[in-house]
Amino acid sequence: MNRLLFFVPVALFAVLVGAFAAGLGRDPSRLPSTLIDKPLPAFDLPAVRPGDVGLRTADVAGQPRLLNVFASWCVACRIEHPVLLQLKADGVPIDGLDWKDEPADGRKYLVDQGDPYRLAGNDRTGRAGIDLGVAGVPETFVVDGRGRVRYKQIGPITPDDWANRIKPLMDRLRTQG
């Protein structure tokens, strides 16, 4: 009986070590989104750029596109930005959601860094971001032509992410119609 009592804590410790080891092997940037294969939540955001129409849920439909969540205060967004500008130059439709940012700061960011967005809306309160499940910036959603989320990229899009994950999905969505 004493031997059994000795092995119980050892067995529990081994199970705990196994659980921690399994967790270490997971990529923390690959968090699943509850929105995958579901419609975008409803939002109607004021414009970041003067004289623009802003960004509404209905605007993010019609053809596959990226919905990029950014902010002027986001360091990683500055790293990602040249990739977005290149994607725009290549004809990729991108809409922007300026998250938890003052409209004037978002506007200045786009003037200073370049503007890759077709439409850009300001989510100063962060409400639309909460509905999208945004945990931080940048995050990018691939949205199909029906306005359904098909993929969520957490962190900056790199050329490798574009070539190996996002572009093949966008190409497939375009051919599906």
Side-chain angles (χ1 to χ4, degrees):
M1 183 65 143
N2 285 340
R3 283 188 190 187
L4 182 62
L5 290 176
F6 173 76
F7 285 111
V8 168
V10 171
L12 289 174
F13 180 74
V15 168
L16 188 62
V17 167
F20 282 130
L24 288 175
R26 295 190 178 159
D27 181 358
S29 68
R30 309 270 308 178
L31 297 173
S33 172
T34 58
L35 288 179
I36 299 298
D37 294 325
K38 294 184 179 152
L40 281 172
F43 56 81
D44 186 356
L45 302 173
V48 171
R49 302 173 291 229
D52 205 351
V53 296
L55 183 66
R56 299 169 304 151
T57 304
D59 298 326
V60 188
Q63 66 174 319
R65 72 185 63 249
L66 302 179
L67 175 61
N68 178 253
V69 182
F70 73 99
S72 65
W73 46 263
C74 167
V75 175
C77 295
R78 293 176 190 272
I79 294 167
E80 174 185 61
H81 210 77
V83 175
L84 297 177
L85 290 170
Q86 182 59 54
L87 293 177
K88 178 185 180 181
D90 293 342
V92 176
I94 309 170
D95 294 319
L97 190 149
D98 185 18
W99 189 58
K100 292 188 175 182
D101 208 359
E102 292 298 321
D105 295 338
R107 192 168 27 258
K108 183 176 182 336
Y109 174 78
L110 294 179
V111 167
D112 293 347
Q113 302 295 315
D115 189 346
Y117 304 116
R118 183 184 67 94
L119 298 173
N122 178 264
D123 182 23
R124 189 171 64 131
T125 65
R127 181 75 237 172
I130 289 170
D131 293 343
L132 285 166
V134 172
V137 285
E139 289 188 12
T140 303
F141 297 86
V142 175
V143 182
D144 69 16
R146 297 179 310 162
R148 297 174 87 72
V149 175
R150 301 303 296 272
Y151 178 77
K152 179 180 180 181
Q153 168 82 23
I154 297 173
I157 296 174
T158 65
D160 184 61
D161 293 327
W162 172 253
N164 296 317
R165 275 187 238 155
I166 301 170
K167 184 179 185 312
L169 174 59
M170 294 280 288
D171 290 344
R172 192 169 61 251
L173 293 173
R174 275 190 208 100
T175 59
Q176 290 174 353

